[in-house]
């Protein structure tokens, strides 16, 4: 895949970048290693000052950074600006919390004094996806740099300008050269970096295939990894739910980021008693969504990030219909209104789509739909809802709607996922750990757990 900015709204190739040569990668890793030797000895106060400055730069220039993201991957501009603000939030959270989270932890033993000390590991490689080009990187970098590590970023090939802008932010904020570097490289150059002895650990957010590839390369080198992979999150609505709020949230939870979020609600599992009304209201609200130019503040849904994503999604939808599923709305990219707008006619727009009555043996039940496509299921009771929710290989997040205490407890205990949100949509928050189980990956980002992933948890025993 070429490293390039291709505007998904128009199909225009805006800028192409050359991948780094082996020599250039080598000198950047040397710089990273040298930077680590200095950075590990800087004080928390110093790192805090730099990271707060990075947060301020993000806020001050949020429109500029937002436009870069919208240009490269098509998210609506308001969402892009909100993402820049959220990236500032994670910087501020770790700037303020890192020192206390990483303070020595005294533990009473037979020693005169024993405690745990958290120390940085060194150069950490982050392989990141295009869907949240700023947020995904900042939620890795803010804790990593506060812990005293240094970062090298291999961003997705379709967001090179976002990747370069992020490097520039850390430099302008005052972090010394080499503490955070963007490597413009192809995916096939990742294994050599994982194998390099200067790189101590790696984190990847992306598909299962990429995660398995990085995880096995790192495993061969006995290096720690964190993997944040795909999801097919259930959105369970029981009969006692506040239906109006549930439907409204269901639309947002599926459509966020033009439907391309790992924690988007993808399977709507609704109790029989309210299923017809839920479906009717969902179809109605889908119809009101405005598809169009993501730079227009009135637009709800922009294009998918690439033509490959559009083609794969459409194939999944067609396969569902061929296997007997019923189409309630959408499903045909040739009918989107942007086709008649000359500047957008080559854009990768996909209509909001709802499928229901998927046969029980449909392979699509096991798949992630990465776009504005909702799968709707009916269930007779809570047992069936939980069983269906757990019936995919994924285990990222889950949203469940009920007013009944006993149902709530069962959902919290029995859903196989890294998070359960009751009467709300799944979202990330710097204060809460984020991550999955099963094929959604392992390890955690954010919260106290996130910053402790890439540290040496050193036991100290003194007599
Ligand atoms: P992707 O193709 O796996 O790409 C993600 C990153 O991995 C990109 O930088 C990509 O580089 C790189 N990559 C791809 N193949 C690789 C390999 N064999 N070895 C090393 N690096 C490799 O994923 P995507 O399609 O961009 O992103 C969508 C997926 O990410 C979805 O499944 C979504 O659910 C998941 N996701 C998960 C989370 C989470 O927190 N759990 C968050 C966001 C997204 P190139 O661009 O150069 O190929």
């Amino acid at each position: 895949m070429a490293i390039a900015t291709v505007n998904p709204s128009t199909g225009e190739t805006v800028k192409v970048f050359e991948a780094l040569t082996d020599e250039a990668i080598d000198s950047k890793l040397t710089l990273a290693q040298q930077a680590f030797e200095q950075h590990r000895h800087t004080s928390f106060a110093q790192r805090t000052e730099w990271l707060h400055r990075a947060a301020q730069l993000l806020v001050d220039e949020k429109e500029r950074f937002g436009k870069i993201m919208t240009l490269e991957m098509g998210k609506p501009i308001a969402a892009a600006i909100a993402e820049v603000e959220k990236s500032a939030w994670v910087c501020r959270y770790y700037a303020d919390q890192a020192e206390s989270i990483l303070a020595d932890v005294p533990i009473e033993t037979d020693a005169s004094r024993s405690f745990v000390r958290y120390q940085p590991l060194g150069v950490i490689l982050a392989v990141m996806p295009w869907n949240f080009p700023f947020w995904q990187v900042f939620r890795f970098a803010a804790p990593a740099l506060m812990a005293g590590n240094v970062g090298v970023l291999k961003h997705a090939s379709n967001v090179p300008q976002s990747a370069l802008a992020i490097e520039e932010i850390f430099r302008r904020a005052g972090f010394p050269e080499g503490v955070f570097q963007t490597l413009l490289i192809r995916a096939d150059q990742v294994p050599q970096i994982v194998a390099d002895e200067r790189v101590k650990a790696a984190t990847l957010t992306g598909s299962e295939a990429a995660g398995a590839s990085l995880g096995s390369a790192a495993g061969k080198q006995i290096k720690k990894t964190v993997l944040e992979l795909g999801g097919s999150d259930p959105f369970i609505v029981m009969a006692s739910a506040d239906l109006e709020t549930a439907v409204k949230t269901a639309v947002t939870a599926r459509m966020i980021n033009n439907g391309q979020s790992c924690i988007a609600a993808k399977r709507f599992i609704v109790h029989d008693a309210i299923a017809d009304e839920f479906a009717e209201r969902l179809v109605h609200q889908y119809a009101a969504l405005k598809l169009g130019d993501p730079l227009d503040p009135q637009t709800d849904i922009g294009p998918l990030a690439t033509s490959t994503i559009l083609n794969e999604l459409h194939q999944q939808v067609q396969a569902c219909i061929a296997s007997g599923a019923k189409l309630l709305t959408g499903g045909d990219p040739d009918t989107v209104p942007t086709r008649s707008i000359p500047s957008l006619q080559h854009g990768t727009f996909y209509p909001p789509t709802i499928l229901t009555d998927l046969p029980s043996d449909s392979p699509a039940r096991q798949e992630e739909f990465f776009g504005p496509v909702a799968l709707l299921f009916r269930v007779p009771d809570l047992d069936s809802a939980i069983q269906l929710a757990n019936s995919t290989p994924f285990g990222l997040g889950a949203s469940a709607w009920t007013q009944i205490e006993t149902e709530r407890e069962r959902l919290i205990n029995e859903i196989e996922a890294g998070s359960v949100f009751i009467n709300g949509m799944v979202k990330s928050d710097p204060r809460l750990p984020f991550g999955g189980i099963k094929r959604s990956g392992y390890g955690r980002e954010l919260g106290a757990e996130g910053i402790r992933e890439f540290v040496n948890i050193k036991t100290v025993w003194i007599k």
Side-chain angles (χ1 to χ4, degrees):
M1 192 167 162
I3 303 173
T5 301
V6 177
N7 183 347
S9 300
T10 62
E12 179 201 358
T13 299
V14 178
K15 200 166 177 181
V16 180
F17 296 79
E18 283 295 315
L20 293 180
T21 60
D22 288 352
E23 293 71 35
I25 293 172
D26 183 60
S27 60
K28 282 182 185 281
L29 292 182
T30 300
L31 182 63
Q33 180 59 35
Q34 287 164 351
F36 174 63
E37 295 308 333
Q38 303 295 319
H39 188 63
R40 67 187 306 177
H41 299 300
T42 54
S43 64
F44 277 108
Q46 177 64 81
R47 295 174 204 161
T48 294
E49 189 190 319
W50 289 330
L51 202 56
H52 270 297
R53 223 181 282 153
Q56 197 55 47
L57 284 170
L58 284 163
V59 172
D60 291 346
E61 298 174 36
K62 60 186 178 187
E63 279 86 9
R64 175 165 87 90
F65 297 135
K67 271 190 194 155
I68 296 174
M69 283 191 269
T70 297
L71 169 74
E72 294 197 303
M73 52 67 68
K75 72 175 66 202
I77 187 66
I81 292 172
E83 181 174 334
V84 180
E85 287 171 338
K86 193 169 174 183
S87 303
W89 181 21
V90 77
C91 289
R92 293 199 170 112
Y93 169 77
Y94 280 114
D96 294 338
Q97 301 300 324
E99 185 167 13
S100 62
I101 299 172
L102 297 180
D104 290 350
V105 181
I107 296 170
E108 268 190 45
T109 65
D110 58 336
S112 322
R113 196 175 147 230
S114 49
F115 58 94
V116 167
R117 175 162 293 175
Y118 300 104
Q119 294 185 309
L121 294 180
V123 182
I124 315 293
L125 168 68
V127 180
M128 290 290 142
W130 47 266
N131 61 343
F132 293 96
F134 269 54
W135 169 244
Q136 296 290 356
V137 176
F138 278 95
R139 79 181 191 182
F140 150 72
L145 303 194
M146 280 309 295
N149 294 305
V150 306
V152 287
L153 167 69
K154 182 273 184 274
H155 216 325
S157 293
N158 55 332
V159 290
Q161 297 195 52
S162 300
L164 292 170
I166 294 168
E167 180 181 63
E168 176 206 307
I169 290 164
F170 284 115
R171 286 289 291 124
R172 285 170 61 205
F175 284 98
E177 203 184 349
V179 170
F180 182 92
Q181 297 180 82
T182 284
L183 311 180
L184 291 181
I185 54 170
R186 299 179 310 271
D188 64 14
Q189 294 173 290
V190 169
Q192 77 189 68
I193 295 176
V194 174
D196 192 292
E197 62 179 26
R198 290 166 291 192
V199 174
K200 299 295 185 261
T203 180
L204 180 140
T205 299
S207 60
E208 286 174 80
S213 162
L214 180 111
S216 49
K220 279 187 199 134
Q221 307 295 331
I222 327 288
K223 288 183 186 175
K224 167 93 185 253
T225 50
V226 167
L227 299 179
E228 297 282 7
L229 310 178
S232 184
D233 285 7
F235 187 103
I236 300 170
V237 189
M238 298 305 293
S240 66
D242 168 353
L243 197 59
E244 190 173 337
T245 315
V247 174
K248 204 164 155 236
T249 311
V251 176
T252 312
R254 177 58 284 206
M255 291 302 158
I256 192 161
N257 214 30
N258 306 334
Q260 303 157 121
S261 169
C262 54
I263 48 167
K266 292 171 186 144
R267 295 176 299 136
F268 296 84
I269 300 171
V270 186
H271 192 274
D272 268 335
I274 50 164
D276 289 338
E277 193 176 350
F278 184 91
E280 209 172 291
R281 289 192 191 201
L282 199 64
V283 170
H284 183 71
Q285 296 202 16
Y286 262 42
L289 293 169
K290 188 166 178 282
L291 198 88
D293 182 353
L295 283 171
D296 176 351
Q298 304 302 318
T299 293
D300 297 307
I301 302 179
L304 297 176
T306 65
S307 52
T308 310
I309 293 165
L310 184 140
N311 293 336
E312 284 175 5
L313 183 71
H314 191 46
Q315 273 170 22
Q316 284 178 294
V317 169
Q318 287 180 312
C320 278
I321 297 168
S323 76
K326 193 169 139 199
L327 185 67
L328 294 185
T329 186
D332 184 357
D334 290 331
T335 60
V336 290
T338 46
R339 280 290 159 93
S340 57
I341 303 171
S343 60
L344 303 179
Q345 65 184 353
H346 299 299
T348 42
F349 294 89
Y350 200 84
T353 297
I354 304 175
L355 291 163
T356 191
D357 297 345
L358 257 76
S360 56
D361 58 351
S362 169
R365 284 173 171 250
Q366 305 292 310
E367 296 169 3
E368 178 182 33
F369 282 65
F370 217 58
V373 176
L375 306 182
L376 201 54
F377 301 89
R378 308 170 67 111
V379 286
D381 53 30
L382 187 65
D383 285 332
S384 324
I386 293 172
Q387 194 262 332
L388 185 55
N390 290 340
S391 68
T392 75
F394 301 109
L396 197 51
S399 169
W401 295 71
T402 175
Q403 308 289 346
I404 298 170
E405 174 89 29
T406 49
E407 287 188 348
R408 188 171 74 194
E409 278 310 301
R410 283 199 56 201
L411 288 156
I412 293 170
N413 283 323
E414 296 176 36
I415 293 282
E416 297 167 358
S419 67
V420 176
F421 282 63
I422 303 292
N423 299 332
M425 65 181 263
V426 180
K427 59 185 180 193
S428 55
D429 178 321
R431 298 162 294 189
L432 295 171
F434 181 101
I437 59 170
K438 295 159 74 177
R439 293 185 74 87
S440 291
Y442 52 77
R444 290 293 178 267
E445 294 189 283
L446 303 176
E449 287 77 5
I451 197 171
R452 292 194 185 123
E453 287 286 2
F454 296 119
V455 289
N456 175 16
I457 302 172
K458 185 181 272 180
T459 296
V460 182
W461 190 99
I462 306 167
K463 192 78 181 177

